[in-house]
Amino acid sequence: MSAKDVGHGFEFHRELTQTLRSMEPDTWNRLQQREKTEPRYGWLRNDALKTASAILRNDAPEIYRGIDLACERLGVEEQVTASRAEGIETPSCQVIRVSDRIDLVLTGDVEELLNSNEFLALVGRQLGQVHLWQAEDGGVWVAEQILTTTCQEPNASESWHETLRLHHLYSEIYCDRWAYRAAEDFNAVVASIQKPSLDDALCEPATLLDKANKALGLAEPEATSDMALPDIPALSDIQIRALAVDWWRRGSEGFDEQLVDLVEGREDLSGLSLLKQGHWQRWTRDALVHLLKPAWRRTRLTLNHAGLFYSGNDLPDSAQQSVESLDRQIRSASESMREYACYLLLDFSMCDSQMKEAALAQALEWAKRWGCESLFQEIARRELRLRKSQVDALINEAATILAEAERHSFDPANSESKK
């Protein structure tokens, strides 16, 4: 299957498949083999959907006219059929892959609820879902299976739930692009999401988009590559999806980076997704390599403590990321992550009492470079029970203290504590 000018998914999906493949190799291999060998796959949990009756072309020409047009616009060459599940009144359309064809399972009066363009969008979205499931050699489908199953466990962590939330939202946004290419109509895309919900409180697509733009402070939105978003307010998923389609249809280069801010918002240490956990683990390890680069910092106690962040292995000689890149990441991070960084500095200021003053002076300079000088000073005063005058004195003498520590580290008489 292919799609014209739709793309092949998001970086999130690629990173997710890599992460889960490494975390759950046995489960991953088993499910991937199942996806390749079973004739049917999809998300049809309701038995009524699995036993849906086929809708013949001669009996429903309007339905197949929409399906054929959507396939033509999207470049889908596979056979697409329609079925109807009886006994389910909720209007919806779900998709299942059956051997060499795609089956759209209709419920309720969904095709009557939508006009022709809205039905095109609905079909396009479902075709996009199959394309996404097949991405990464079927890995996106496998990832969804693992996430969903794990989140059903009573002890599943917030990280797994957050990852599943992001997976669903990114998947919906991706499939909305297919919906737009099929319908060639923004209003139809949004209406095809809203109408099946039968929520009387939902507003017209243009009004929904206008409210979302105003919430972001974008009265006259222009999708530009240097678009800077303000602090992201709490938007509903439908608002986020409407904005994502609108930005994408404008053809702005580089807007996907802004989409990440819109979808994921500010990172909170207590609710990081699995991917963000990996990102900040790598940031931490590389930050430690740079932090402990001076010879005077590489004492036995300090290096042993750093080994805890490397699963008992030695601190690497070099980092994967430059210190400038690490600085940029933490300067633009949320307050929660900046506080984490400050505690990391404080932790490594205290792990060797003989180096405490110099290590604390170094931490103060790093906190200043990271743009969280005041936050670190507040934490240090509170945790170490220091007076403000003591911290101020240390700041004033930091350069002298660090120069003395550097000179002292090259004195052969003071090498006992080195590794």
Side-chain angles (χ1 to χ4, degrees):
M1 180 188 293
S2 64
K4 301 174 183 176
D5 305 321
V6 176
H8 302 283
F10 291 111
E11 183 62 30
F12 175 87
H13 292 114
R14 286 186 281 273
E15 291 186 14
L16 178 63
T17 56
Q18 294 170 5
T19 299
L20 292 181
R21 184 184 286 114
S22 62
M23 290 179 62
E24 305 281 348
D26 294 338
T27 302
W28 184 276
N29 291 334
R30 174 174 56 81
L31 287 173
Q32 191 168 51
Q33 184 63 26
R34 171 186 166 189
E35 183 271 330
K36 292 180 177 180
T37 57
E38 287 194 359
R40 300 166 64 93
Y41 71 84
W43 281 109
L44 302 183
R45 294 190 179 91
N46 192 311
D47 289 337
L49 297 176
K50 297 177 182 179
T51 58
S53 302
I55 299 175
L56 303 179
R57 279 185 170 270
N58 292 338
D59 296 336
E62 288 298 319
I63 289 177
Y64 279 95
R65 188 175 293 113
I67 290 175
D68 292 344
L69 182 54
C71 289
E72 178 184 344
R73 289 178 173 176
L74 289 166
V76 175
E77 299 178 351
E78 293 174 274
Q79 181 186 11
V80 180
T81 59
S83 300
R84 185 175 301 283
E86 303 296 338
I88 301 177
E89 297 182 359
T90 303
S92 71
C93 178
Q94 298 188 50
V95 65
I96 188 168
R97 188 75 166 77
V98 185
S99 298
D100 60 347
R101 66 182 172 88
I102 298 168
D103 192 37
L104 304 178
V105 184
L106 308 179
T107 65
D109 59 349
V110 65
E111 75 276 15
E112 298 176 7
L113 189 65
L114 306 177
N115 65 33
S116 58
N117 266 7
E118 292 163 357
F119 185 71
L120 277 173
L122 183 71
V123 172
R125 185 176 292 110
Q126 300 308 312
L127 296 177
Q129 180 66 78
V130 175
H131 184 266
L132 186 58
W133 276 334
Q134 294 176 157
E136 301 297 313
D137 194 25
V140 176
W141 181 81
V142 174
E144 187 163 327
Q145 302 279 324
I146 293 175
L147 285 173
T148 302
T149 301
T150 303
C151 288
Q152 290 173 346
E153 298 294 329
N155 60 344
S157 69
E158 183 62 29
S159 294
W160 282 90
H161 286 283
E162 174 64 7
T163 306
L164 180 60
R165 182 191 73 82
L166 293 175
H167 168 75
H168 281 160
L169 188 49
Y170 274 122
S171 298
E172 288 167 343
I173 291 171
Y174 174 76
C175 293
D176 287 341
R177 294 182 176 185
W178 282 64
Y180 181 80
R181 284 300 187 196
E184 300 178 348
D185 182 341
F186 169 79
N187 289 340
V189 173
V190 178
S192 69
I193 302 171
Q194 295 190 102
K195 282 188 177 181
S197 71
L198 301 178
D199 187 348
D200 294 334
L202 296 175
C203 57
E204 291 295 321
T207 304
L208 178 75
L209 180 62
D210 183 60
K211 289 183 178 179
N213 278 313
K214 287 181 178 178
L216 293 178
L218 303 173
E220 296 181 0
E222 288 292 339
T224 59
S225 59
D226 60 350
M227 178 174 58
L229 294 180
D231 290 338
I232 304 299
L235 297 177
S236 65
D237 284 358
I238 183 61
Q239 287 178 310
I240 292 174
R241 291 171 67 180
L243 284 167
V245 172
D246 185 52
W247 291 352
W248 176 71
R249 68 175 175 145
R250 294 172 182 272
S252 169
E253 182 180 354
F255 91 92
D256 270 349
E257 288 76 10
Q258 303 299 337
L259 182 61
V260 172
D261 292 336
L262 186 66
V263 172
E264 302 184 24
R266 286 290 188 173
E267 299 157 335
D268 189 290
L269 184 60
S270 63
L272 292 177
S273 69
L274 298 176
L275 273 60
K276 287 299 183 181
Q277 282 187 344
H279 168 85
W280 285 107
Q281 286 171 356
R282 292 188 293 273
W283 182 91
T284 299
R285 291 167 181 170
D286 281 352
L288 291 179
V289 172
H290 291 293
L291 180 72
L292 304 181
K293 189 174 182 179
W296 64 269
R297 283 299 260 134
R298 303 176 74 84
T299 67
R300 178 177 54 81
L301 290 176
T302 301
L303 292 176
N304 285 344
H305 189 56
L308 299 176
F309 292 79
Y310 286 88
S311 302
N313 297 320
D314 293 338
L315 187 75
D317 293 330
S318 60
Q320 295 182 352
Q321 304 172 81
S322 68
V323 68
E324 291 80 13
S325 174
L326 298 173
D327 290 349
R328 286 193 299 271
Q329 293 172 51
I330 197 61
R331 281 198 298 265
S332 63
S334 66
E335 186 74 7
S336 174
M337 298 312 303
R338 287 151 64 85
E339 184 174 336
Y340 161 77
C342 288
Y343 272 102
L344 182 71
L345 290 176
L346 187 65
D347 184 31
F348 276 86
S349 299
M350 298 294 104
C351 59
D352 187 340
S353 59
Q354 291 186 348
M355 307 301 298
K356 179 178 177 179
E357 185 180 52
L360 192 55
Q362 182 199 36
L364 284 164
E365 290 204 340
W366 275 58
K368 182 178 181 180
R369 199 178 72 228
W370 286 348
C372 49
E373 182 179 18
S374 297
L375 178 60
F376 179 78
Q377 292 176 25
E378 177 186 344
I379 291 173
R381 287 198 301 267
R382 182 176 66 246
E383 298 295 334
L384 303 182
R385 298 183 179 181
L386 299 175
R387 296 187 302 275
K388 184 178 184 302
S389 58
Q390 292 176 291
V391 175
D392 291 342
L394 190 58
I395 293 172
N396 293 332
E397 299 171 8
T400 301
I401 293 172
L402 292 175
E404 176 63 19
E406 191 69 27
R407 185 194 63 78
H408 192 70
S409 68
F410 289 104
D411 186 344
N414 297 292
S415 61
E416 294 182 0
S417 65
K418 303 296 185 294
K419 183 181 176 181

